[in-house]
Amino acid sequence: MSTTSLPAPDRSPRLREALLAAAFTADGLLDLLGAPAYAALARSETVPALRATRGDSPLDTLVRLFLLQRPVPYERARAALPLAECVEDGWVIREGDEVRATVDVRPYSGPEGQDWFIVSDLGCAVGGAGGIGSHEEGVVLGVGGASSTLAGITVRTPVASALDVGAGSGIQALYASQHATRVTATDLNPRALVFTRLTLALSGATPADVHEGSLFEPVGTETYDLIVSNPPFVISPGARLTYRDGGMGGDDLCRTLVQQAGDRLNDGGYAHFLANWQHVDGEEWQDRLRSWVPRGCDAWIVQREMQDITQYAELWLRDSGDHRTDPTQYAARYDAWLDEFEGRKTKGVGFGWITLRKSESTAENPSIVIEEWPHPVEQPLGEAVEAHFARQDYLRTHDDAALLADHFTLAPEVMQEQVGLPGAEDPEHVVLRQNRGMRRATKVDAVGAGFAGVCDGTLPAGRILDAIAQLMNEDPVLLRDRTPQAIRLLVGEGFLEPAGQA
């Protein structure tokens, strides 16, 4: 698809002023449409929003023009926009007495309430399994659930340099522009780089350096403090759709991206990826991912979902609208997906997050945590990700003796649940549950529950265990010997915090 028909990124300030003046913002949309119609838009359902925009205000006009992609009367468009400039710059086209948009412009609220605008191809504002209604190779999607997930798990500390690999419509580069002095964006699709520039310009953000090419190829040996990527991770036969299909065999694209990131990170820097990975007969999926982690990096990998190969194929066939095609063609494509998986002995596909932290000082003893956590979490998780690696550093540098000599506090928002039959004198087991961040839950015994309950930072862990031993008539030496492993688990999962880090 050509880039020549797209608007010019450097000609957007007056359009932004007009959008803001009309309250064409996330808050303005919610006020105009109401919560049900606003939520329906996220599901690509437009009828409620069409009904709510039957007025003639500038906001009604802009919603119909840019969000719903309906032609609007010329005079109404002129009342809402600097229309002559918008036509000249390519944001809209005049067709007789009507005006229509050339791109989708979607209001988006930034992390501190900033009024942003995400620019994407018409009909592609929301990705996902509903189908985008287009089979064209170069389409550029807007913000979907995956984009928001990646933005939420990214560590947001101030950095000198950030790199967005596979920038798409530019949402990750836009987030990075808020805390990075310099942002670089790359994409194999030149059309995506234009959309990235449009998103940044219309959102009033600092421009990014944009480079066309695959993965890290466009930036050579340059290194960064932050790398983010929502790559085309779908494991598919061929590379029919640039926005989702990696073009390498199996999960090789995600593996290559992760493995090459180590050499592109500055010491202490973070890399965040969304990825798919194969579950292969005769192989533990955790071992597969462990082999991806580059030397000199700690890693935290979370599998959020696993689908069998039939579910996976059907999901992505619906995503591209193939389920609406001729049944024979659909069956042939379905067959091709299953042939691909059979040839690679793939029984399922996992989806999740991969975070790397460059840590040259721990290269000989990296922290690699690989886990499955399909349960609800509280976004944004950037601070929780940063805290995870701080806890791993702590545990790596504290043996059992140091652990028992240290002081701990119970993390905020941790609650205790007792599970057992009604009226029973003692519970069957006790569960500690987090109400923030990862929202983990873990079973503990009576010692673990008692220990966690009195951790307020005033006494060292060993002294607390001695007191518990006396109350429970246990040998304090044996209790000290067997408990550090449980303390490590509670610290590692964020239930307890070293008093100096709390």
Side-chain angles (χ1 to χ4, degrees):
M1 298 178 68
S2 171
T3 63
T4 57
S5 61
L6 294 176
D10 56 351
R11 302 286 295 277
S12 58
R14 286 202 63 199
L15 174 58
R16 175 174 171 80
E17 292 173 6
L19 299 181
L20 294 176
F24 186 66
T25 63
D27 289 340
L29 286 184
L30 184 59
D31 290 342
L32 173 68
L33 303 179
Y38 188 79
L41 277 179
R43 303 189 299 271
S44 299
E45 296 290 349
T46 59
V47 172
L50 284 168
R51 293 174 60 86
T53 55
R54 290 180 288 197
D56 58 2
S57 71
L59 183 54
D60 289 311
T61 300
L62 294 174
V63 171
R64 283 183 165 252
L65 180 66
F66 286 120
L67 252 66
L68 306 179
Q69 282 109 56
R70 297 296 197 275
V72 300
Y74 177 83
E75 291 301 326
R76 285 180 55 183
R78 190 169 68 169
L81 294 167
L83 191 54
E85 289 184 21
C86 287
V87 171
E88 180 183 353
D89 297 341
W91 292 96
V92 298
I93 294 175
R94 181 176 182 179
E95 296 178 336
D97 293 331
E98 292 184 325
V99 171
R100 65 176 177 85
T102 62
V103 292
D104 185 295
V105 178
R106 181 165 297 258
Y108 187 93
S109 182
E112 297 179 1
Q114 303 97 321
D115 290 316
W116 289 347
F117 300 97
I118 311 303
V119 188
S120 63
D121 270 311
L122 295 173
C124 298
V126 178
I132 63 171
S134 173
H135 294 275
E136 294 189 77
E137 166 71 13
V139 294
V140 177
L141 302 188
V143 178
S147 300
S148 298
T149 294
L150 179 59
I153 66 173
T154 300
V155 174
R156 298 295 175 191
T157 53
V159 294
S161 58
L163 172 65
D164 180 6
V165 179
S169 61
I171 181 62
Q172 308 304 330
L174 182 55
Y175 268 97
S177 71
Q178 305 304 294
H179 62 103
T181 304
R182 178 175 59 89
V183 177
T184 302
T186 70
D187 204 293
L188 185 63
N189 181 4
R191 189 174 178 85
L193 296 176
V194 176
F195 277 110
T196 292
R197 294 178 62 204
L198 290 171
T199 290
L200 291 169
L202 197 57
S203 299
T206 303
D209 298 327
V210 300
H211 301 280
E212 180 183 344
S214 177
L215 303 182
F216 296 106
E217 178 187 1
V219 298
T221 59
E222 193 162 354
T223 58
Y224 300 86
D225 302 313
L226 173 67
I227 298 172
V228 292
S229 183
N230 177 15
F233 53 66
V234 176
I235 300 171
S236 63
R240 191 161 55 100
L241 297 174
T242 303
Y243 75 88
R244 70 168 201 193
D245 300 327
M248 297 184 185
D251 51 18
D252 283 355
L253 183 136
C254 291
R255 175 186 56 79
T256 301
L257 182 64
V258 173
Q259 288 180 337
Q260 292 182 356
D263 291 334
R264 303 314 196 284
L265 275 176
N266 294 324
D267 195 38
Y270 287 91
H272 302 274
F273 310 102
L274 300 185
N276 276 179
W277 44 79
Q278 297 168 197
H279 284 235
V280 178
D281 277 334
E283 175 187 76
E284 294 294 331
W285 66 270
Q286 296 94 334
D287 292 339
R288 184 180 194 85
L289 290 173
R290 189 171 287 108
S291 72
W292 291 11
V293 178
R295 178 177 171 78
C297 289
D298 297 324
W300 184 20
I301 302 174
V302 181
Q303 179 167 281
R304 295 288 290 156
E305 182 179 8
M306 201 283 282
Q307 293 184 317
D308 68 48
I309 56 175
T310 59
Q311 292 174 313
Y312 188 81
E314 290 162 13
L315 168 68
W316 294 109
L317 287 167
R318 288 195 304 271
D319 173 86
S320 55
D322 287 307
H323 61 307
R324 303 191 189 104
T325 63
D326 176 73
T328 302
Q329 183 179 358
Y330 174 79
R333 284 184 170 157
Y334 199 151
D335 249 345
W337 284 73
L338 297 185
D339 285 343
E340 172 80 7
F341 290 132
E342 183 178 335
R344 296 181 179 278
K345 298 182 179 180
T346 301
K347 58 185 179 180
V349 178
F351 167 81
W353 320 326
I354 298 176
T355 296
L356 305 177
R357 185 191 60 170
K358 190 65 171 286
S359 182
E360 294 287 6
S361 63
T362 59
E364 299 303 322
N365 183 28
S367 167
I368 301 176
V369 177
I370 303 173
E371 61 178 316
E372 186 168 19
W373 189 253
H375 310 293
V377 299
E378 182 189 50
Q379 287 275 32
L381 279 168
E383 291 185 1
V385 171
E386 190 175 16
H388 165 87
F389 286 98
R391 293 195 298 269
Q392 301 310 308
D393 286 343
Y394 173 86
L395 292 173
R396 187 162 37 195
T397 56
H398 286 68
D399 60 16
D400 288 354
L403 206 66
L404 293 176
D406 211 345
H407 300 64
F408 299 93
T409 61
L410 189 66
E413 307 294 332
V414 173
M415 303 296 291
Q416 176 178 300
E417 299 175 1
Q418 295 186 349
V419 180
L421 294 173
E425 183 175 348
D426 296 312
E428 293 179 10
H429 59 263
V430 176
V431 174
L432 298 182
R433 187 178 301 278
Q434 300 168 349
N435 289 317
R436 303 292 301 274
M438 291 293 287
R439 292 180 172 170
R440 296 185 186 277
T442 189
K443 290 182 182 180
V444 293
D445 59 14
V447 172
F451 181 84
V454 298
C455 278
D456 60 4
T458 58
L459 291 174
R463 289 274 302 279
I464 294 175
L465 290 179
D466 291 344
I468 292 175
Q470 185 174 4
L471 287 172
M472 300 180 69
N473 294 318
E474 290 205 32
D475 185 330
V477 175
L478 294 178
L479 193 61
R480 277 176 173 252
D481 285 344
R482 76 166 193 260
T483 305
Q485 183 177 356
I487 296 176
R488 287 186 181 279
L489 174 66
L490 293 176
V491 172
E493 294 191 345
F495 290 94
L496 294 177
E497 299 175 349
Q501 298 181 12

